[in-house]
Amino acid sequence: MAEIRCHSCGKTNPANSEFCSFCQAVLGSTAVGNVQEPSLNSEYHPTNETLPDPVETNQVSQGRDPSMEGKNPLAGLDNALPLEPTVRDLTKPVVYPVQSSETDIQKAYTLLLSQMVKDETKRPTYTRSAPKKSQSILRIVVAGILFFTILVPILWNKPAAQLPSLSTELILFDQKISELSPGATVLYSVDYDPSATAEMEAASWAVINQLMARDIQLVLVSTTPTGPVQAARLVQNIISTQQNQVGSPLPASQIINLGLIPGGSAGLASFSENPSFFLKDATEMQMGENPASEQTQPVLDLTSISNLAMVVVVTDTPETARNWIEQVQPWLGGKPLMMILSAQAEPLIQSYYEGGIRQVEGVVISVAGGAGYEELVGIKGPALEMWSAFVNASWIAGTLIILAGMIHLVYTQMVQEKQGSGEKTS
Amino acid sequence: MSTADLVGALIGLFLTLSIFSYLLGDNYLFRLVIHIFIGVASAFVVVIAWYNVIWPQLIQPLLYGALTERALTIILLILSLLLLTKAVPSLSNFGRPVMAILVGVGAATAISGAVVGTVIPQVIDSIRLFNLPGSTGSGIGSWSTLFNSGLLLVGTLTTLTYFHFITRTDSKHPGQKTAWLRWFAKAGKFFISITLGAVFAGVLLASLAALVDRLDFIVSLVEKLFNP
Amino acid sequence: MGYFIDLDLVGLNWLRQLILHWVVVLSAVAVLVGFANLFRTHWNKTTNRKPGSGFSLVTLVAMILTLVFVGFFGPTDPLSIWIFNNIQLPIEISLLAILAVVLIVASVRFLSRSPGVFSVIFISTVVVLIWGVASFPGLDFINFSSLRTWILQIPATAGARGLLLGVALGTIATGLRVLLGMDRPYEG
Amino acid sequence: MNLDGMLDNGMLGLFFVVIFGIILCTIFSFSRFQRISLRNISAFTDFVHEVSSAIETGQRLHLTLGRGSLNGVQGASAFIGLSILGKIVQSSYLSDYPPLATSGDANWSILSEDTYNKAAKEIEPDTRIQTDVNQMGGFTPMSYASSTLPIIYDQHVSLNVLSGHFGSEVALITDAAERSGARTLAGSDGLTAQAIIYSSVDDPLLGEELYAAGTYVQSGPQHLASLITQDVMRWILVLIILGGGLLHFLGILW
């Protein structure tokens, strides 16, 4: 005796039953390929040329049959779009259920006909439109204008149009750094994707300089997979700049690269609960890898992260920033949590340092923040270098969006009128 | 500038220019570079995974760990080997239980993260909205504060109700929401577009910074080359 | 596996630590599996001469070379950093840089793509926020930056809260479906 | 917020989840629903048309699962992607071009392989799936995004489905889809990606709408149950916020 397995609840029903006796799902359309009778599956191998056949159309009908509504948990749903009936059966091995009566077939044909008509009217006939010329022209024009406005101030290195305004967060940031006692340990998390390196290094350059100037002991960690390399690159840059400025390489104990904190938010949580667990791996990992981090003595007192004098998080994604705020900040025991954010993280993190409860005590945001901080502490770094070009770029970008948007709107309207067809552009 | 740096900078110049060529259209140079990129980046991540996780947390405890640590790590090792069978399509069934564990833990973490990380803090903040002095931008006077807090509350609620899925079935045209829900949804859409606009602007600024950096890099390199 | 929730929330620490540790290591092992998958894909492309097989060969070569050098010297070795600085970083930053153009073009076409009041709101928000970064000489009389701050603090935060809460609801529902065994993505 | 603060937040959250689960199970057990209709989401309507027309015109479907880590909040949206993938495979596996799945995180590539095999076996029990239909993209966001470009351009893709966690790199994917003349169905849990999708995709899925995909493409009754549960919980949240806010305003709470 043939049996049909129900598609939605998986239980088996006698083949001549129309609905699953357990979950009331319609069996005809869903039982295809699940029929237990081997002869049906093994012998019949249809091709795409299979003509629409009574039973197949019968299956087609069932998703739409008004009398079925409410039987199948989903058949009754308006707007719950049945994929099987319209699509799946076009290419499906056809199976002959035991019950297929004349009336079924006739009903099926009529329904199929109406279905086909409806589909022909509804379905957009598919044409693989080649990339429009206007689009690529638009792209090239935008690129040209943008490049030009950026290149001008770079070439004739024009002084910054107007120095960025100092936000209160910057001043707070500087206060907190100046409150640090020399030799204190600062956790500095390098948490940005490689693609954001330019922006984040411009934003963080002045901060790192200030930390180095107060000979802070910097502990580098990261939660992003490429983070350790970024940290090592950072160490290299710091060492080279130190050699350029002071002339003497800084003591190896001053920067320690702890490497990766894996496991995302959960990993951060367990790091903030007992850092020593990660410390073990980190110290072992560090052996003979990074010249700047051979000596790992000072880290070993990192039994709890409240021993840290400050935590500075440099990140470009709001998710990472929120992880640090939610997982680490509660454990800091009042020690400040600082953030150096990319512009794309700003809107979502805003509420954490503007709100009534300030969970983040100071932020440097993007190039503007970096330039502002360099201006505040009176050093000339990458942020100030790119500042004027950045200002031009942002202004021209806004203008482009408005003007070109208007032009493009008018253009498309004209084109549509020319075509005179009501084809939808959206 | 040392030769290594010079070579590196020249390579960087070549790569940057070939990526920029994508703006003119998809071309072979761009394809070449992104294929190099895929290879290099993936290899880097694999090496870091080995150096930072697998070696220190799987191999080393096995070799040098204490007894209990070793015992635990052996179980872990077995799980890892089972998972590794996923790399071979014919054996991949052995890895299924491990994936089940991973999926279960992942789902649990997702739930707890969503509840503890998002729902509770956001709800509490929305509840504490009123009488939060200084939580507003132009926070002069209690009236503007009140207005802002009210706006914040309305925005949160309407945005939340914008997503309401189930609609009345006995309506003339199904798929339409009831009238008041539609008004809520409109208000919610308003706030949603503002939020997304803000985030979009942030992304645009970040990419502009990258663009400025690249152009700066090109210009300074060319200057170095022609008048050292 | 519902009881993981309790562990995650109430924090039976040692067990949670252990599970987490295992998951972390297993995910790292999964990276190896994924790498094998990537390698296999490009290997197949290279061997059976599909279009673009040359590119796949390039990927394989780059992969192997990086694996050998970086793997041998360690990811924080100066050589590895040289590779990272001069090959990976320029490409990554350049890709983000061309996004600037891509995004501007997208927002230019946005108005004509879906004309409507919400599109206008979206675009004007974008422009105000971009212009608010720095006041431009000659246009100081429009104080965009305070407007920018207000938008970021009130309406944007409100919308973000709603969106995040909605996403959280969806996440919880999905996670529960998986935990209660209604979805079983892992059985193949 | 200190430790015990976190703890009772934990209890609160546990309570919330338990209620959520109870409602979900009750609705699921009564899954022979009185008629319920869902609001129109145009993206899904187009989705079905695109799937069928892709099969007829011999085009490919390409689904990409994003790069969110499985072990975190970002994972859930990729679970949705998996159920969509199962549906796509069931509907178009036997067509000339089987659908492609790419992912930016190792765990998801493994899971998509499993889902793919399962769905394919349901269609054709004794089938051999070639390994290339599931591709691990890249491990860093940008390399992942750029690894999908050749697929979108070269593989006759007519519809790209983006469901998972993305960052700003998603713009590369949507732009490539636009250039190649393919349609895109995209949703994400990250707000960054949502902003880009909203601006550059014809029918964007905003926020929670992505999580309704399972119901709209009929992946099974459990999706509808969870959708109803989401609506119930939504209004519970609204009530909590309003009531709590009122109490707080009157100074009773806190």
Side-chain angles (χ1 to χ4, degrees):
Chain A
M1 174 57 190
E3 279 191 333
I4 300 183
R5 186 183 295 115
C6 168
H7 188 58
S8 45
C9 73
K11 303 199 175 69
T12 54
N13 299 274
N16 57 2
S17 61
E18 225 175 344
F19 308 114
C20 172
S21 50
F22 304 90
C23 74
Q24 304 297 317
V26 180
L27 290 176
S29 66
T30 54
V32 177
N34 290 342
V35 178
Q36 301 299 300
E37 224 163 64
S39 61
L40 294 183
N41 275 338
S42 53
E43 286 169 17
Y44 192 83
H45 288 307
T47 61
N48 290 353
E49 291 81 46
T50 311
L51 290 173
D53 129 297
V55 187
E56 186 180 4
T57 55
N58 182 6
Q59 293 155 6
V60 170
S61 75
Q62 290 182 346
R64 293 287 181 181
D65 183 352
S67 72
M68 305 269 180
E69 279 170 344
K71 306 280 179 43
N72 174 348
L74 293 163
L77 294 174
D78 315 337
N79 311 323
L81 305 156
L83 216 44
E84 299 91 344
T86 52
V87 182
R88 194 166 141 184
D89 299 332
L90 293 177
T91 59
K92 181 158 319 332
V94 177
V95 178
Y96 295 92
V98 184
Q99 94 298 358
S100 65
S101 67
E102 287 303 318
T103 60
D104 270 356
I105 296 172
Q106 285 156 359
K107 186 176 61 183
Y109 269 127
T110 51
L111 281 160
L112 172 72
L113 204 56
S114 57
Q115 179 68 42
M116 280 162 60
V117 173
K118 208 161 74 211
D119 282 354
E120 283 319 304
T121 50
K122 263 202 303 194
R123 177 178 305 158
T125 51
Y126 180 76
T127 52
R128 189 182 181 79
S129 62
K132 297 194 206 68
K133 199 136 213 82
S134 67
Q135 187 179 335
S136 49
I137 292 176
L138 176 63
R139 180 179 293 108
I140 293 172
V141 168
V142 167
I145 299 177
L146 205 55
F147 281 38
F148 178 73
T149 41
I150 294 177
L151 278 176
V152 164
I154 293 180
L155 285 175
W156 292 275
N157 43 24
K158 191 156 98 338
Q162 193 168 8
L163 287 175
S165 57
L166 292 178
S167 63
T168 51
E169 286 75 29
L170 276 183
I171 297 161
L172 282 170
F173 206 111
D174 193 42
Q175 276 179 8
K176 289 293 176 185
I177 286 188
S178 52
E179 286 167 7
L180 289 174
S181 58
T185 314
V186 170
L187 190 73
Y188 185 95
S189 88
V190 187
D191 264 345
Y192 42 89
D193 293 334
S195 55
T197 309
E199 184 190 11
M200 302 319 293
E201 284 186 351
S204 58
W205 192 79
V207 174
I208 291 179
N209 250 27
Q210 288 303 97
L211 290 176
M212 287 292 114
R214 303 188 60 80
D215 49 24
I216 297 299
Q217 184 192 28
L218 215 56
V219 181
L220 302 177
V221 295
S222 166
T223 63
T224 50
T226 47
V229 191
Q230 295 274 46
R233 163 192 160 87
L234 192 63
V235 173
Q236 232 183 27
N237 295 350
I238 294 176
I239 293 177
S240 62
T241 42
Q242 290 278 325
Q243 278 165 342
N244 294 345
Q245 290 172 352
V246 192
S248 66
L250 74 172
S253 71
Q254 204 174 338
I255 309 177
I256 293 151
N257 186 355
L258 279 195
L260 185 66
I261 300 177
S265 61
L268 262 182
S270 60
F271 169 77
S272 49
E273 282 164 29
N274 58 343
S276 46
F277 177 78
F278 288 83
L279 205 57
K280 176 173 61 67
D281 308 337
T283 46
E284 284 167 357
M285 184 207 91
Q286 285 305 323
M287 285 313 165
E289 270 186 35
N290 188 340
S293 62
E294 292 268 337
Q295 179 191 11
T296 46
Q297 290 308 331
V299 195
L300 295 179
D301 70 346
L302 193 53
T303 49
S304 129
I305 61 170
S306 57
N307 297 356
L308 296 164
M310 175 191 283
V311 175
V312 181
V313 178
V314 191
T315 183
D316 63 330
T317 63
E319 289 84 11
T320 319
R322 275 181 55 203
N323 281 345
W324 278 91
I325 294 172
E326 283 155 9
Q327 308 296 347
V328 178
Q329 194 266 346
W331 300 82
L332 278 177
K335 301 293 174 56
L337 170 67
M338 305 300 204
M339 289 212 163
I340 301 178
L341 294 175
S342 156
Q344 60 172 300
E346 178 187 9
L348 300 175
I349 306 304
Q350 183 98 9
S351 57
Y352 287 102
Y353 57 84
E354 287 290 350
I357 327 107
R358 303 179 61 90
Q359 286 175 288
V360 181
E361 305 211 12
V363 288
V364 176
I365 293 165
S366 184
V367 182
Y373 197 54
E374 288 173 8
E375 180 195 357
L376 181 65
V377 298
I379 50 177
K380 190 159 184 353
L384 274 180
E385 273 174 20
M386 65 195 292
W387 175 243
S388 57
F390 184 68
V391 173
N392 286 17
S394 57
W395 273 85
I396 204 66
T399 323
L400 267 176
I401 290 178
I402 289 185
L403 290 184
M406 294 299 172
I407 296 171
H408 191 269
L409 183 59
V410 174
Y411 170 77
T412 40
Q413 298 297 340
M414 280 164 52
V415 169
Q416 277 174 28
E417 284 167 7
K418 203 182 297 173
Q419 289 170 346
S421 69
E423 96 182 55
K424 66 170 191 174
T425 52
S426 73
Chain B
M1 164 172 208
S2 74
T3 47
D5 293 347
L6 184 62
V7 175
L10 288 177
I11 296 177
L13 177 65
F14 165 72
L15 296 174
T16 306
L17 290 179
S18 20
I19 294 287
F20 280 172
S21 73
Y22 183 62
L23 290 173
L24 301 175
D26 182 24
N27 57 31
Y28 282 99
L29 210 51
F30 175 73
R31 291 290 184 94
L32 181 74
V33 170
I34 61 171
H35 277 84
I36 296 175
F37 172 43
I38 295 168
V40 173
S42 54
F44 250 106
V45 171
V46 167
V47 172
I48 289 171
W50 174 265
Y51 268 88
N52 285 275
V53 183
I54 299 181
W55 174 255
Q57 297 195 18
L58 181 61
I59 312 295
Q60 272 189 341
L62 213 55
L63 302 181
Y64 314 118
L67 191 56
T68 56
E69 195 179 4
R70 288 193 191 186
L72 284 176
T73 319
I74 284 178
I75 308 176
L76 182 55
L77 183 67
I78 295 170
L79 291 181
S80 314
L81 292 178
L82 283 179
L83 184 55
L84 273 179
T85 60
K86 278 286 179 188
V88 189
S90 53
L91 302 177
S92 66
N93 285 350
F94 293 106
R96 194 177 303 163
V98 187
M99 283 321 284
I101 297 177
L102 280 178
V103 166
V105 179
T109 329
I111 293 177
S112 63
V115 174
V116 179
T118 306
V119 174
I120 293 180
Q122 299 286 358
V123 168
I124 288 182
D125 280 4
S126 320
I127 287 178
R128 286 200 183 135
L129 260 183
F130 296 94
N131 74 27
L132 260 191
S135 75
T136 66
S138 56
I140 355 117
S142 65
W143 281 115
S144 71
T145 312
L146 199 61
F147 168 74
N148 284 330
S149 315
L151 199 61
L152 203 47
L153 186 63
V154 170
T156 310
L157 295 184
T158 47
T159 313
L160 192 52
T161 52
Y162 164 81
F163 292 109
H164 186 80
F165 292 105
I166 310 295
T167 58
R168 209 176 39 187
T169 55
D170 53 356
S171 62
K172 304 290 166 297
H173 24 62
Q176 288 286 330
K177 299 184 186 179
T178 50
W180 61 281
L181 258 184
R182 244 174 287 151
W183 280 108
F184 268 48
K186 276 202 174 57
K189 190 76 187 294
F190 170 79
F191 284 99
I192 290 178
S193 358
I194 289 187
T195 306
L196 294 185
V199 178
F200 187 88
V203 181
L204 187 47
L205 284 175
S207 53
L208 281 177
L211 183 56
V212 171
D213 169 84
R214 280 297 93 190
L215 291 177
D216 193 9
F217 162 77
I218 295 176
V219 169
S220 53
L221 179 61
V222 170
E223 280 175 350
K224 274 206 196 71
L225 287 180
F226 286 115
N227 45 357
Chain C
M1 294 197 189
Y3 64 91
F4 278 120
I5 305 174
D6 322 39
L7 300 186
D8 271 9
L9 291 175
V10 190
L12 302 175
N13 268 333
W14 64 272
L15 186 49
R16 201 181 86 196
Q17 293 279 354
L18 184 69
I19 294 171
L20 173 70
H21 175 217
W22 284 15
V23 168
V24 163
V25 174
L26 286 177
S27 318
V29 175
V31 168
L32 298 186
V33 178
F35 187 75
N37 179 327
L38 188 60
F39 191 90
R40 195 177 58 219
T41 309
H42 288 286
W43 179 263
N44 293 344
K45 269 198 196 138
T46 315
T47 45
N48 57 26
R49 298 254 159 270
K50 284 180 186 169
S53 58
F55 291 134
S56 299
L57 185 61
V58 171
T59 309
L60 286 182
V61 172
M63 220 183 255
I64 294 168
L65 286 182
T66 320
L67 206 55
V68 167
F69 282 113
V70 180
F72 181 75
F73 291 106
T76 52
D77 180 83
L79 175 67
S80 316
I81 300 176
W82 186 89
I83 297 179
F84 184 78
N85 280 346
N86 298 314
I87 296 181
Q88 186 166 359
L89 268 191
I91 302 180
E92 297 249 10
I93 302 178
S94 311
L95 282 170
L96 187 59
I98 61 173
L99 278 198
V101 178
V102 168
L103 291 178
I104 292 181
V105 169
S107 43
V108 163
R109 302 178 66 244
F110 183 55
L111 266 183
S112 40
R113 176 202 299 274
S114 59
V117 60
F118 295 122
S119 315
V120 175
I121 295 171
F122 177 85
I123 291 296
S124 38
T125 315
V126 172
V127 171
V128 168
L129 287 203
I130 291 181
W131 279 351
V133 167
S135 56
F136 201 69
L139 284 173
D140 305 346
F141 53 88
I142 320 172
N143 188 353
F144 278 115
S145 55
S146 64
L147 178 59
R148 178 178 202 271
T149 326
W150 182 81
I151 288 181
L152 279 181
Q153 277 170 1
I154 306 306
T157 310
R161 268 190 192 158
L163 281 166
L164 288 176
L165 280 175
V167 167
L169 284 180
T171 306
I172 298 169
T174 314
L176 280 177
R177 276 210 309 276
V178 173
L179 279 184
L180 302 177
M182 298 175 180
D183 287 355
R184 289 192 202 80
Y186 40 83
E187 59 184 33
Chain D
M1 192 167 75
N2 55 1
L3 174 56
D4 44 24
M6 285 176 76
L7 272 187
D8 59 33
N9 263 6
M11 297 312 292
L12 243 167
L14 188 56
F15 184 65
F16 187 82
V17 173
V18 167
I19 290 188
F20 206 119
I22 291 174
I23 297 181
L24 180 58
C25 294
T26 31
I27 294 180
F28 182 57
S29 53
F30 291 115
S31 63
R32 54 176 71 87
F33 300 103
Q34 65 286 9
R35 284 192 68 215
I36 285 177
S37 71
L38 306 171
R39 72 176 156 100
N40 292 318
I41 296 182
S42 58
F44 292 124
T45 337
D46 297 352
F47 170 68
V48 170
H49 293 322
E50 281 301 325
V51 170
S52 40
S53 65
I55 293 167
E56 288 176 352
T57 55
Q59 305 278 340
R60 250 191 222 282
L61 304 168
H62 167 228
L63 182 137
T64 185
L65 288 172
R67 55 171 178 90
S69 74
L70 171 58
N71 181 27
V73 189
Q74 310 164 344
S77 50
F79 279 122
I80 301 294
L82 286 179
S83 51
I84 300 179
L85 173 66
K87 210 61 192 176
I88 289 179
V89 172
Q90 281 180 349
S91 52
S92 68
Y93 176 66
L94 293 178
S95 71
D96 310 351
Y97 293 99
L100 290 174
T102 57
S103 35
D105 177 85
N107 290 313
W108 294 118
S109 81
I110 297 176
L111 285 176
S112 77
E113 210 161 332
D114 293 345
T115 314
Y116 202 111
N117 297 352
K118 183 185 175 191
K121 290 223 164 62
E122 277 178 9
I123 300 304
E124 206 178 25
D126 47 4
T127 179
R128 288 196 74 262
I129 297 113
Q130 70 262 47
T131 53
D132 286 1
V133 291
N134 289 289
Q135 294 188 7
M136 176 70 205
F139 292 88
T140 70
M142 279 301 170
S143 65
Y144 158 58
S146 51
S147 73
T148 60
L149 299 189
I151 294 175
I152 294 175
Y153 281 122
D154 302 344
Q155 298 281 354
H156 311 288
V157 173
S158 71
L159 172 66
N160 298 284
V161 182
L162 279 62
S163 165
H165 179 79
F166 299 90
S168 51
E169 77 276 0
V170 75
L172 276 180
I173 305 179
T174 52
D175 176 58
E178 182 103 36
R179 288 201 204 182
S180 72
R183 288 186 64 88
T184 308
L185 175 85
S188 173
D189 63 333
L191 286 186
T192 313
Q194 283 181 39
I196 295 172
I197 288 170
Y198 180 63
S199 72
S200 57
V201 172
D202 285 343
D203 300 314
L205 291 177
L206 296 177
E208 203 179 343
E209 288 173 354
L210 172 66
Y211 295 87
T215 316
Y216 278 81
V217 301
Q218 279 206 358
S219 297
Q222 71 271 24
H223 289 271
L224 182 62
S226 72
L227 196 61
I228 300 175
T229 320
Q230 285 179 42
D231 271 348
V232 175
M233 295 313 284
R234 175 191 334 279
W235 290 105
I236 292 182
L237 275 188
V238 170
L239 290 182
I240 291 178
I241 291 179
L242 281 178
L246 187 62
L247 292 182
H248 183 57
F249 189 58
L250 302 178
I252 301 169
L253 206 52
W254 290 292

